[in-house]
Amino acid sequence: MRRGGLVILWSSFILYAFLLAPPNQPDTTDLILNLVSGNWQGINPMIVALFNIMGIWPVIYACVALIDGHNQQARAWPFVAGSFGVGAFLILPYLIWRSPNPTFKGPKNWVLGIVDSRWLGLLLLLGSLVLMGYGLIAGDWGQFFEQWRTNRFIHVMSLDFCLLWLLFPALLGDDMARRGLKNQGLFFAIAAVPLIGAASYLALRPPLPAEAAEPNPV
């Protein structure tokens, strides 16, 4: 049932993005190039913040998915790498393919050591706070809504943000179990706050053991 629901969600997101979302505007290519190059003058700060946040989300997912994919058939790294370009379009297939994995058996290699680091979590939290604050305080809400209503790139990017937020608990529960965290209140608090909740969790979660560990009780 879980996989079936995720397949339906993935298929619906693809169909909506390409068939039902608003059309792209003639200046979309220029907008993307300006966002990528840092030429942000004249661009709504909310769009600037959202675009950069969509670069933070894949790193957040890497910090849980690469550990989740360790020692199971569904390797996470191709999906995580692709998510830097297409976000939830590739995170969803990983969630469909993966199996529940509430334990960790080492060794923890250098890649897992990086994504398990609290320092990386702190950097992600700081970046998330700065971008969220910049977009919410300096952004033009009226203009953003109009762009969301008429521009496919902004429309789908916004939905992608929401999906990545709503899908994070699908990996959060197992990641908490691997670390012996069984607080349901903490789980719901992390899941309820967009972006900041996930980044705060990465900054504060206890590290995994460096060597092989016995399975943690669920």
Side-chain angles (χ1 to χ4, degrees), residues 201-212:
Y201 170 72
L202 298 181
L204 298 173
R205 65 181 179 174
L208 291 169
E211 301 299 330

Side-chain angles (χ1 to χ4, degrees), residues 7-64:
V7 168
I8 292 172
L9 178 61
W10 183 43
S11 304
S12 301
F13 187 37
I14 292 173
L15 291 173
Y16 180 83
F18 289 99
L19 298 179
L20 299 176
N24 268 324
Q25 299 301 312
D27 63 346
T28 296
T29 301
D30 291 336
L31 173 63
I32 295 173
L33 290 175
N34 287 331
L35 287 168
V36 171
S37 65
N39 183 20
W40 300 337
Q41 186 174 2
I43 302 177
N44 187 346
M46 291 194 71
I47 303 300
V48 174
L50 179 60
F51 181 81
N52 285 280
I53 283 170
M54 297 312 294
I56 288 182
W57 266 126
V59 184
I60 288 176
Y61 269 86
C63 290
V64 289

Side-chain angles (χ1 to χ4, degrees), residues 41-183:
Q41 186 174 2
I43 302 177
N44 187 346
M46 291 194 71
I47 303 300
V48 174
L50 179 60
F51 181 81
N52 285 280
I53 283 170
M54 297 312 294
I56 288 182
W57 266 126
V59 184
I60 288 176
Y61 269 86
C63 290
V64 289
L66 293 179
I67 294 170
D68 181 75
H70 188 62
N71 287 333
Q72 70 165 310
Q73 184 178 3
R75 295 298 183 180
W77 70 263
F79 301 95
V80 169
S83 72
F84 280 88
V86 294
F89 286 104
L90 272 183
I91 292 297
L92 271 165
Y94 174 71
L95 296 179
I96 293 167
W97 190 18
R98 71 177 286 271
S99 301
N101 186 25
T103 62
F104 177 78
K105 296 180 180 179
K108 186 168 66 173
N109 59 31
W110 67 272
V111 175
L112 298 185
I114 291 173
V115 298
D116 194 43
S117 168
R118 283 184 173 179
W119 288 107
L120 178 56
L122 285 169
L123 288 174
L124 292 169
L125 177 58
L126 178 61
S128 299
L129 289 169
V130 169
L131 289 170
M132 290 283 280
Y134 173 65
L136 293 173
I137 295 171
D140 185 329
W141 284 86
Q143 184 188 67
F144 176 79
F145 177 75
E146 181 62 24
Q147 291 174 304
W148 180 86
R149 192 180 63 83
T150 59
N151 189 304
R152 174 176 294 175
F153 171 67
I154 294 171
H155 188 93
V156 173
M157 184 168 57
S158 303
L159 295 181
D160 197 13
F161 172 91
C162 294
L163 264 182
L164 291 172
W165 165 38
L166 295 173
L167 291 171
F168 187 72
L171 295 172
L172 175 62
D174 280 357
D175 196 78
M176 291 180 65
R178 285 189 284 267
R179 300 163 198 277
L181 301 174
K182 304 176 185 179
N183 189 323

